[in-house]
Amino acid sequence: MKPTLPQSALDQLFLAAHTAQGFQAESVPDATLHALYDLLKWGPTSMNCQPARYVFVRSAEAKERLRPALSPGNVAKTMAAPVSVIVATDTHFFDHLPEQFPAYDARPMFAGNAALAQETGMRNGSLQGAYLIIAARALGLDCGPMSGFNAASVDAAFFPDCRYRSNFLVNLGVADPAAGYPRGPRLDFGTAAQIL
Amino acid sequence: MKPTLPQSALDQLFLAAHTAQGFQAESVPDATLHALYDLLKWGPTSMNCQPARYVFVRSAEAKERLRPALSPGNVAKTMAAPVSVIVATDTHFFDHLPEQFPAYDARPMFAGNAALAQETGMRNGSLQGAYLIIAARALGLDCGPMSGFNAASVDAAFFPDCRYRSNFLVNLGVADPAAGYPRGPRLDFGTAAQIL
């Protein structure tokens, strides 16, 4: 059996990690974003379907395109974050299956069933959004994930051909320890889990 | 800025991790399942909504209840896995918001909007499914996540009051290195990501 990771790693990934509400000015270079993708991409998805798409919004011009879609409480921190990631779902993820899942031709199973494609895209695209959060923490970055935005506005501004749909946003950078709320409680084991 | 985790940790979490198709006989005790929950529970969800529920199916009796719902290709490996987790979503997750998200009363926002509750439950419940996978790997366990099962059958067998809905399954244990497929490829950065 492989070992449990060192306590410092468990702290950085989960136990002491905390949603960032503000960031230091330090920028996030291209090389870090490539390293982030090269880590998170190995997280598992069903049939290796990999429906998530990541738009790293970093330039002032792209941030301004994002601004009108943000909920009021998320504007200032998102405009100031070094990078804001739009985690989106490719509604035609199944076009990549013949190459990504060579075991058999799984494309028709999704191309002919819009409900299954939508559900599979949402489930696995969300898994891949979590992989982004955890992989960023593994690289020493802090994350501020958010659902407070107008998805239709983001999609109109960034995905005019309607193939991708925004799922959620994640601000990325090095947290300003002065900006943050106390961490919320968590459900106890007996409420969230059972052993049968 | 926090450090990047050691290479051995990145390997264990992402780079060398691989979906397990078979497991060694070694059992997974209660203490490990509690440790797993106590790690994964700290992963972020929107408004701290924590919609995922985890049913650790470990006894022979509970495995037999699961068996008829499994796709044929998933029966043998799931019946033999030390534990199979039903990652489910609590459709009434918002009943816990007053206690888990004390900032303001967010319950009515979901209680009065079934579509928003469904989407929020699915997105965040899937994030929490990914936290389970990564937290298990952090504890040295191997995972075999699966979508190949009949969700209605699982729900009828395990959630007769219809409050929880199954999302996906994860076999857990210590992998048998002899049982496994070669790992699939991954989309390149330019297909899955862009920097704006």
Side-chain angles (χ1 to χ4, degrees), chain A residues 33-48:
Chain A
L33 300 178
H34 280 266
L36 175 58
Y37 181 69
D38 284 339
L39 195 56
L40 77 88
K41 72 181 180 184
W42 294 111
T45 54
S46 62
M47 292 181 156
N48 200 27

Side-chain angles (χ1 to χ4, degrees), chain A residues 108-196:
Chain A
M109 169 178 167
F110 298 102
N113 186 338
L116 181 65
Q118 197 278 335
E119 184 182 309
T120 302
M122 180 66 175
R123 175 184 301 112
N124 289 279
S126 297
L127 293 181
Q128 292 188 284
Y131 301 148
L132 175 116
I133 293 170
I134 302 294
R137 289 175 172 180
L139 296 178
L141 294 167
D142 296 291
C143 296
M146 293 173 291
S147 286
F149 66 100
N150 183 314
S153 298
V154 167
D155 294 352
F158 289 90
F159 311 125
D161 72 359
C162 301
R163 176 164 170 155
Y164 298 169
R165 298 269 168 75
S166 53
N167 186 359
F168 67 103
L169 307 180
V170 184
N171 287 331
L172 278 186
V174 178
D176 174 358
Y181 311 132
R183 200 161 63 161
R186 291 298 188 271
L187 297 173
D188 60 23
F189 187 92
T191 302
Q194 51 185 311
I195 301 174
L196 296 181

Side-chain angles (χ1 to χ4, degrees), chain A residues 2-3 5 12 37 41 48 50 54 56 58-59 123 126-127 138 142 167 185-187 192-194 196, chain B residues 2-3 5 12 37 41-42 48 50 54 56 58-59 123 126-127 138 142 167 185-187 192-194 196:
Chain A
K2 287 180 280 288
L5 297 189
Q12 187 166 322
Y37 181 69
K41 72 181 180 184
N48 200 27
Q50 307 169 68
Y54 308 93
F56 295 105
R58 194 178 56 181
S59 68
R123 175 184 301 112
S126 297
L127 293 181
D142 296 291
N167 186 359
R186 291 298 188 271
L187 297 173
Q194 51 185 311
L196 296 181
Chain B
K2 287 179 280 286
L5 296 190
Q12 187 166 323
Y37 180 70
K41 73 180 180 184
W42 294 112
N48 200 27
Q50 308 169 69
Y54 309 93
F56 295 104
R58 194 177 57 180
S59 68
R123 175 184 300 112
S126 297
L127 293 181
D142 297 290
N167 185 359
R186 291 300 188 269
L187 296 172
Q194 51 183 313
L196 296 181

Side-chain angles (χ1 to χ4, degrees), chain B residues 47 94 97 101 104-114 116-117 120:
Chain B
M47 292 180 155
F94 42 79
L97 282 175
F101 183 73
Y104 57 89
D105 185 7
R107 187 184 177 284
M109 169 178 167
F110 298 101
N113 186 337
L116 181 66
T120 302

